[in-house]
Amino acid sequence: MNTYTYTVGGTAKEAVNNVFLFIVVISVILLLLVTGLMIYFAVKYNRKRHPQSEPVKQKPWLEIVWTLVPTILVLGMFFYGYEGFKLMRNVPEDSMIVKVIGRMWDWSFEYENGRRTDRLYVPIGKNVKLEMKSVDVVHSLYIPAFRIKEDLVPGRETYLWFKPQTVGPADIFCAEYCGQRHAYMLSQVMVMEVNEFDKWYQQEDAEQAAADELMKIPAVKFMDDYGCLSCHSLNIPIGEQIPLKGIFGRKRIVIKDGKELEVSVDEEYLKRALLEPGVEVVKGQVNMMEPVEDISEEELNMIIDFLKEYK
Ligand code: CUA
């Protein structure tokens, strides 16, 4: 049984908001000051009033003031920002650890008890540390609601921490361009009440068990190895993708040679879709799939037979 202790203290969200507010307030004051002075001088030193220009006199104290004041303000911004940076880099010791894997083009989250999900679940008020790895290219985990973002770099482990303070979902984005489906590399962090989270955390992972069971099927294992499953989901919709479950026998409207036509998803259609994905494209979709190459007749039939049965 896991019991968590709760700490009070600053979070990245407060730190970032405060620095942002600090910079905005200073910028607005300076904007008003500079604009006001410009208008004032334009009127005061107008040619009609001052037909003759006067030489500018040396005013050392004025120069000192306009050098020192901005220097102090900028240093203030730096130190204020640096405090926030230190806070973000120092993970509280009582943090719950979640391992994050980023890949083209999805996220996976693994908890201390081995539970794995594609959505991040956390209890409210608890410090959470994300230990992140990428298996392919550089990705960046970005949770705007918590004001945190950190790159995932292949061959290196990076981290982030946050403390969720309101119950409900928040978006997770990939903030580093990582290929064709970068924009679909989305997930969510679901903040739950502590008791609900504990229940969820303890629960026998039915979904995971079902997913593990599916992976034992040779056709599914093959599709996974082939990379099909990084864009196509088996039973849960990813982005705009239609899950493969129950696809066999459906009717679809496709565009072929610029013309719309209705086809039914049968063996022949699936073969064409795998070998020449760009020829008949489902209406409203953009083809992003490369033709499946070096696939044997046997392997092709294995996939098709699986999809036939997978209802
Ligand atoms: Cu992963 Cu962009």
Side-chain angles (χ1 to χ4, degrees):
M1 184 77 196
N2 273 277
T3 43
Y4 296 116
T5 47
Y6 301 94
T7 50
V8 240
T11 61
K13 185 174 172 176
E14 287 148 15
V16 172
N17 284 359
N18 288 343
V19 178
F20 189 75
L21 191 67
F22 182 68
I23 295 175
V24 166
V25 168
I26 291 178
S27 305
V28 169
I29 293 173
L30 286 176
L31 175 76
L32 294 177
L33 185 76
V34 171
T35 316
L37 282 175
M38 254 164 54
I39 295 170
Y40 174 70
F41 290 150
V43 173
K44 187 174 177 191
Y45 299 107
N46 185 292
R47 187 143 80 167
K48 280 183 216 137
R49 287 182 203 179
H50 278 263
Q52 207 62 46
S53 64
E54 288 167 50
V56 178
K57 287 185 217 87
Q58 287 268 339
K59 281 195 181 138
W61 61 268
L62 195 59
E63 292 202 21
I64 290 170
V65 168
W66 80 45
T67 310
L68 265 184
V69 171
T71 308
I72 291 167
L73 289 179
V74 171
L75 284 179
M77 288 178 196
F78 171 76
F79 282 111
Y80 214 7
Y82 183 66
E83 283 303 308
F85 176 75
K86 259 195 341 208
L87 177 86
M88 290 180 191
R89 292 289 81 194
N90 288 316
V91 184
E93 270 173 26
D94 62 354
S95 297
M96 159 185 144
I97 291 172
V98 180
K99 290 196 181 341
V100 181
I101 302 286
R103 70 170 74 81
M104 294 147 113
W105 289 277
D106 57 46
W107 301 101
S108 102
F109 304 96
E110 191 184 329
Y111 302 82
E112 283 159 299
N113 67 356
R115 190 156 184 190
R116 227 179 305 139
T117 53
D118 50 12
R119 205 182 186 210
L120 177 58
Y121 293 87
V122 292
I124 186 165
K126 169 72 191 165
N127 296 321
V128 180
K129 181 188 185 196
L130 303 181
E131 294 180 346
M132 313 193 293
K133 279 182 185 161
S134 166
V135 296
D136 38 49
V137 298
V138 180
H139 301 279
S140 189
L141 188 124
Y142 180 31
I143 311 179
F146 301 158
R147 313 286 190 265
I148 50 170
K149 176 162 87 75
E150 185 71 33
D151 281 7
L152 283 78
V153 183
R156 194 197 286 180
E157 187 178 292
T158 53
Y159 68 91
L160 259 186
W161 78 273
F162 62 91
K163 182 170 156 184
Q165 285 152 314
T166 35
V167 168
D171 290 323
I172 296 179
F173 296 101
C174 177
E176 183 62 57
Y177 182 68
C178 56
Q180 273 182 332
R181 292 192 61 81
H182 156 71
Y184 296 94
M185 195 168 162
L186 307 167
S187 183
Q188 272 187 329
V189 45
M190 192 64 204
V191 182
M192 303 198 265
E193 294 291 357
V194 177
N195 52 358
E196 257 180 69
F197 176 81
D198 283 343
K199 224 194 288 163
W200 175 87
Y201 191 72
Q202 303 303 327
Q203 192 185 88
E204 180 53 44
D205 195 348
E207 263 172 54
Q208 189 60 41
D212 288 348
E213 211 45 50
L214 268 177
M215 277 301 161
K216 288 184 194 153
I217 302 172
V220 177
K221 175 90 183 50
F222 180 78
M223 288 198 289
D224 190 40
D225 293 344
Y226 228 94
C228 310
L229 301 185
S230 58
C231 291
H232 290 286
S233 73
L234 287 168
N235 45 19
I236 315 156
I238 310 175
E240 291 168 6
Q241 297 281 352
I242 301 150
L244 295 175
K245 188 171 185 161
I247 203 163
F248 197 87
R250 281 214 202 144
K251 298 260 188 270
R252 321 185 91 179
I253 305 288
V254 297
I255 308 286
K256 187 183 187 182
D257 302 325
K259 278 183 233 113
E260 264 184 39
L261 85 166
E262 193 184 67
V263 294
S264 63
V265 180
D266 54 15
E267 290 174 30
E268 286 312 307
Y269 172 81
L270 286 171
K271 266 186 201 166
R272 295 196 303 272
L274 280 158
L275 301 175
E276 302 167 299
V279 176
E280 289 163 80
V281 180
V282 175
K283 195 183 170 191
Q285 300 254 6
V286 178
N287 179 48
M288 302 217 206
M289 185 170 153
E290 298 287 331
V292 178
E293 280 162 2
D294 306 324
I295 188 168
S296 69
E297 192 66 29
E298 197 187 325
E299 290 163 336
L300 203 56
N301 288 331
M302 181 168 82
I303 292 179
I304 291 166
D305 286 345
F306 166 75
L307 290 175
K308 240 189 210 169
E309 298 302 318
Y310 190 47
K311 295 197 189 296

